[in-house]
Amino acid sequence: MPKLKKTAAQMVADARARIEEVETADLIAQVDDPNTVIVDIRDVRERERTGYIPGSVHAPRGMVEFWVDPDSPYYKEVFGQDKRYVFHCASGWRSALTVATLQDMGFEAAHLKEGFSTWEKQGGPVEKTKGD
């Protein structure tokens, strides 16, 4: 197996060193803030299995860069608002990489440091998909 130039863990650490990280308790306090858009980049199956933050926008990890780019045919208007965007995944790894990439594109955002993994434990509201 060829040796990688950089491990996934190193990439996450590098991303975290240059992006804004939001603590779970702080985002719970802002969950109803109309100027904050919480973006869930987890796979749809993760959302179905564990629930999701009420009012969050689902933007699958593989499409985020295209959805925020106004020049992309996949652009989504939700990303054109003058609001604060906080991205999250399950543990904060994917969202750290995502936000670092978006920052490189010129799209300002933060990420939930510990991801959805601590959200419910710390009293954050969770919505379940229909049928749960």
Side-chain angles (χ1 to χ4, degrees), residues 14-74:
D14 290 351
R16 284 185 156 165
R18 64 184 183 95
I19 63 173
E20 180 187 351
E21 297 192 296
V22 178
E23 297 291 340
T24 303
D26 294 334
L27 191 57
I28 289 171
Q30 299 167 16
V31 74
D32 293 322
D33 181 345
N35 291 312
T36 298
V37 178
I38 300 172
V39 185
D40 186 343
I41 64 167
R42 296 176 301 153
D43 182 90
V44 67
R45 292 170 298 240
E46 291 175 273
R47 287 173 52 94
E48 289 170 357
R49 188 171 55 252
T50 61
Y52 53 92
I53 298 171
S56 63
V57 173
H58 183 228
R61 172 65 193 100
M63 293 302 295
V64 171
E65 293 85 352
F66 303 101
W67 285 16
V68 304
D69 181 355
D71 294 329
S72 165
Y74 301 104

Side-chain angles (χ1 to χ4, degrees), residues 77-110:
E77 291 288 335
V78 69
F79 294 107
Q81 303 172 80
D82 186 21
K83 296 188 178 189
R84 180 173 187 241
Y85 292 86
V86 181
F87 287 74
H88 83 84
C89 60
S91 62
W93 296 3
R94 289 172 287 177
S95 58
L97 294 175
T98 299
V99 169
T101 300
L102 294 177
Q103 188 172 284
D104 290 346
M105 294 173 70
F107 186 92
E108 291 304 315

